[in-house]
């Protein structure tokens, strides 16, 4: 059987796509409500914290790059511990599907198809995601590369289209609420890194240069993601102002409506949706992949493909319930989701790193085998 190989470019593209759509679509509005015009500063702080956590996530598997977090847990403390790790990652991706579906549905339904039922968006996204997940990580990696190209193009166009409306005075005064409050607000952006950190936990054994360049790839992927996202944070603050940004659930669509290039390219949000779609559908794909892989480990099935349909049913029911009510969706996004994501995504790598140090001899014997 051919071993799955994820190239360096695929890995970086997968991290960027997994973070980008929700970060510019929902997170900036949350940050604007929390910290005002310093939302771009909070985004930069979150990027630095993401780099640190991604590096720690790599340290966990540095000496055993052929093992993912679940397999590493089995080596350290037995199969029962591996199942606990699988359950935590399963909960993270199941809960993370809520914000992902909020991003997908509210972009299209609120701005283009207000009369369409929510289930139509849920079913269509899950069908596309299930097909991508079924064909495997290499296909998903190639899709992510296409998505990364579209993201670069989207950023170039939004910069060009927003230049005439840019007003740096909307970003002042700097750190109006003080550094501690801005740093606390950056935790909302850290939540976006949680899915990417658990991506490393699952696919690092498949990355072709995980041994010599794993740490570099992880940090570079966060830096690339952060710089692509902070562009939107600055533009939304400077073009719309923090007050306007805070009033929108999908603030990036308001920015897209303000953007224009010349006299012929006015409906910019249509172009944005076209370029944006690959990235958001990749997020759906990887939520299906993460939940199906972990559920198969919990049950004890070798192939995760048998779990794709049951997982899609669970994700569909949960995601539709979240999205149907705007107030429920916003409360979940700002209150419940961070309480689930941060302890798992940040706590699990730190706990495994500690256990790795405690059981160093057992780990070294596993690395030699």
């Amino acid at each position: 059987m051919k071993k799955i190989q994820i190239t360096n470019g695929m890995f970086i593209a997968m991290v960027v796509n997994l973070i980008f759509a929700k970060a510019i679509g929902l997170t900036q509005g949350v940050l604007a409500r929390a910290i005002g015009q310093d939302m771009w500063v909070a985004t930069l702080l979150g990027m630095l914290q993401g780099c640190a956590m991604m590096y720690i996530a790599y340290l966990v598997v540095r000496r055993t790059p052929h093992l993912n977090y679940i397999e590493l847990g089995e080596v350290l403390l037995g199969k029962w511990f591996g199942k606990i790790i699988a359950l935590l990652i399963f909960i993270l991706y199941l809960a993370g599907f809520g914000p992902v579906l909020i991003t997908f549905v509210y972009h299209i339904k609120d701005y283009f198809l207000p009369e369409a039922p929510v289930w139509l968006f849920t079913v269509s996204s899950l069908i596309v995601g299930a097909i991508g997940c079924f064909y495997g990580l290499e296909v998903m990696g190639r899709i992510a590369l296409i998505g990364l190209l579209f993201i670069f193009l989207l950023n170039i166009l939004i910069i060009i289209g927003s230049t005439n409306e840019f007003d740096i005075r909307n970003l002042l005064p700097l750190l109006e609420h003080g550094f501690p409050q801005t740093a606390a607000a950056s935790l909302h952006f850290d939540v976006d890194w949680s899915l990417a950190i658990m991506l490393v936990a699952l696919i690092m054994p498949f990355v072709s240069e995980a041994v010599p360049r794993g740490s570099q790839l992880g940090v570079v992927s966060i830096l690339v993601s952060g710089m692509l996202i902070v562009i939107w944070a600055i533009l939304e603050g400077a073009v719309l102002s923090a007050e306007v940004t805070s009033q929108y659930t999908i603030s990036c669509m308001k920015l897209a409506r303000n953007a224009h290039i010349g006299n012929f390219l006015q409906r910019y949000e249509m172009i944005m949706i076209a370029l944006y779609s690959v990235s958001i559908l990749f997020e759906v794909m990887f939520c299906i992949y993460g939940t199906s892989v972990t559920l198969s480990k919990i049950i004890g099935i070798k192939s995760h493909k048998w779990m794709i349909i049951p997982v899609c049913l669970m994700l569909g029911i949960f995601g539709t319930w979240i999205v149907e009510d705007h107030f429920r969706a916003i409360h979940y996004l700002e209150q419940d989701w961070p309480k689930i994501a941060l302890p798992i995504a940040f706590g699990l790598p730190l706990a495994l790193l500690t256990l790795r140090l405690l059981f160093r001899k057992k780990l070294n014997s596993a690395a030699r085998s």
Side-chain angles (χ1 to χ4, degrees):
M1 184 176 179
K2 181 179 177 291
K3 179 176 172 59
I4 298 172
Q5 284 291 321
I6 302 297
T7 65
N8 298 344
M10 286 180 182
F11 175 81
I12 293 173
M14 290 170 82
V15 172
V16 175
N17 279 269
L18 196 58
I19 297 170
F20 182 80
K22 188 261 181 183
I24 71 165
L26 297 177
T27 305
Q28 296 310 317
V30 175
L31 289 177
R33 289 188 285 274
I35 205 64
Q37 70 275 6
D38 288 322
M39 59 188 186
W40 69 274
V41 180
T43 303
L44 284 177
L45 291 175
M47 180 179 68
L48 297 177
Q49 294 159 14
C51 288
M53 289 311 302
M54 186 64 84
Y55 183 71
I56 292 173
Y58 167 74
L59 289 179
V60 174
V61 296
R62 181 178 59 177
R63 296 189 181 278
T64 53
H66 60 291
L67 301 176
N68 62 30
Y69 274 29
I70 300 170
E71 294 163 344
L72 178 62
E74 292 176 353
V75 171
L76 292 172
L77 293 175
K79 288 187 176 182
W80 65 272
F81 189 62
K83 289 183 183 294
I84 290 176
I85 294 174
L87 178 61
L88 290 174
I89 301 176
F90 172 81
I91 292 171
L92 179 73
Y93 276 109
L94 177 63
F97 187 70
V100 169
L101 196 64
I102 291 171
T103 307
F104 179 72
V105 173
Y106 289 179
H107 268 86
I108 301 178
K109 181 177 172 63
D110 290 2
Y111 288 89
F112 300 105
L113 300 171
E115 301 300 324
V118 171
W119 65 263
L120 179 65
F121 302 101
T122 305
V123 171
S124 60
S125 63
L126 286 173
I127 289 174
V128 175
I131 293 172
C133 180
F134 179 82
Y135 282 104
L137 281 176
E138 290 180 333
V139 171
M140 292 166 63
R142 296 187 191 104
I143 293 172
L145 286 173
I146 298 172
L148 182 60
L149 176 62
F150 284 177
I151 287 171
F152 278 117
L153 181 58
L154 177 60
N155 274 36
I156 291 170
L157 290 176
I158 198 68
I159 291 171
I160 296 172
S162 302
T163 301
N164 293 334
E165 308 293 334
F166 191 92
D167 188 351
I168 197 171
R169 290 173 296 182
N170 287 334
L171 300 177
L172 299 175
L174 186 65
L175 294 176
E176 181 181 17
H177 299 281
F179 182 81
Q181 190 171 341
T182 305
S186 70
L187 292 175
H188 287 289
F189 189 45
D190 290 343
V191 171
D192 294 334
W193 305 126
S194 61
L195 297 178
I197 290 171
M198 289 300 103
L199 177 144
V200 172
L202 291 177
I203 75 165
M204 186 57 78
F206 304 117
V207 179
S208 55
E209 296 190 26
V211 176
R213 302 186 60 189
S215 60
Q216 296 175 18
L217 292 174
V219 173
V220 167
S221 66
I222 294 297
L223 290 175
V224 172
S225 305
M227 295 311 297
L228 290 171
I229 292 164
V230 79
I231 290 171
W232 288 80
I234 293 172
L235 289 176
E236 288 177 25
V239 174
L240 302 178
S241 79
E243 290 77 14
V244 173
T245 302
S246 66
Q247 295 172 15
Y248 286 86
T249 305
I250 308 292
S251 56
C252 65
M253 289 300 289
K254 177 60 178 175
L255 179 64
R257 283 191 164 183
N258 277 39
H260 57 87
I261 302 174
N263 296 321
F264 302 101
L265 190 54
Q266 298 295 332
R267 293 307 302 264
Y268 187 89
E269 67 268 25
M270 297 292 292
I271 298 173
M272 177 178 174
I273 287 296
L275 297 176
Y276 196 80
S277 58
V278 176
S279 179
I280 186 64
L281 288 173
F282 176 81
E283 290 188 0
V284 174
M285 282 182 200
F286 206 85
C287 282
I288 296 173
Y289 178 83
T291 48
S292 61
V293 167
T294 52
L295 186 59
S296 65
K297 292 289 186 180
I298 294 170
I299 296 176
I301 300 175
K302 289 186 177 180
S303 176
H304 74 278
K305 294 181 180 179
W306 292 102
M307 292 291 102
I308 290 177
I309 292 178
V311 156
C312 285
L313 292 174
M314 285 186 280
L315 292 176
I317 293 170
F318 172 72
T320 302
W321 177 74
I322 290 291
V323 171
E324 279 181 333
D325 187 310
H326 272 66
F327 293 103
R328 182 192 300 137
I330 296 303
H331 184 273
Y332 179 79
L333 180 70
E334 297 184 0
Q335 303 296 328
D336 300 329
W337 170 230
K339 294 175 183 177
I340 299 171
L342 293 176
I344 295 176
F346 289 1
L348 183 58
L350 290 172
L352 285 175
L353 185 60
T354 302
L355 290 172
R356 198 196 79 170
L357 296 174
L358 293 175
F359 296 94
R360 187 178 303 173
K361 292 183 178 179
K362 182 183 289 189
L363 192 64
N364 290 335
S365 62
R368 288 192 296 266
S369 61

